[in-house]
């Protein structure tokens, strides 16, 4: 299995579409994380993710970007108020 197959597995398993990410950057990130946890193949990494909840959480935290701009930007709420009053 290669990284393209891994992206298909992630989409099926976690409902996260990694195909939307820039391939080179994404591949570097995945390979870096695999190296940090001591696995050398995608198959080994999938096996680890299936067996170890903490590694799944670590992967998801590492691969996704947690953005909360909606709640931080007052302009968003101003826009919603304007649309609601129209």
């Amino acid at each position: 299995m290669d990284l393209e197959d891994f992206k298909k597995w992630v989409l099926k398993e976690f409902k996260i579409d990694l195909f939307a990410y820039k391939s080179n950057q994404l591949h570097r990130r995945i390979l870096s994380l695999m190296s940090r946890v001591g696995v050398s193949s995608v198959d080994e990494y999938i096996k680890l993710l299936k067996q170890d909840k903490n590694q799944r959480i670590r992967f998801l935290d590492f691969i996704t970007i947690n953005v909360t701009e909606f709640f931080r930007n007052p302009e968003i709420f101003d826009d919603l108020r304007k649309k609601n009053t129209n």
Side-chain angles (χ1 to χ4, degrees):
M1 184 176 284
D2 64 10
L3 286 172
E4 293 303 310
D5 294 323
F6 180 74
K7 290 193 283 189
K8 291 175 190 173
W9 180 82
V10 168
L11 180 59
K12 181 181 170 195
E13 189 72 20
F14 300 115
K15 309 297 186 251
I16 296 173
D17 185 2
L18 297 180
F19 290 96
Y21 289 66
K22 293 180 182 178
S23 284
N24 290 339
Q25 181 181 7
L26 177 67
H27 290 181
R28 278 193 311 271
R29 290 181 64 112
I30 292 170
L31 292 172
S32 170
L33 187 54
M34 287 170 51
S35 175
R36 289 183 204 176
V37 298
V39 297
S40 58
S41 75
V42 172
D43 291 322
E44 285 180 74
Y45 194 47
I46 288 174
K47 184 177 178 181
L48 178 67
L49 293 176
K50 286 179 178 179
Q51 295 174 348
D52 189 327
K53 180 182 175 183
N54 290 330
Q55 289 300 327
R56 280 193 303 276
I57 292 168
R58 183 177 181 186
F59 168 74
L60 293 171
D61 285 345
F62 188 75
I63 211 69
T64 58
I65 300 170
N66 299 317
V67 178
T68 58
E69 289 179 21
F70 181 86
F71 297 105
R72 293 183 189 173
N73 294 327
E75 303 85 30
I76 299 286
F77 292 101
D78 290 339
D79 287 344
L80 286 172
R81 276 190 211 96
K82 289 175 188 172
K83 288 179 182 176
N84 194 29
T85 58
N86 291 335

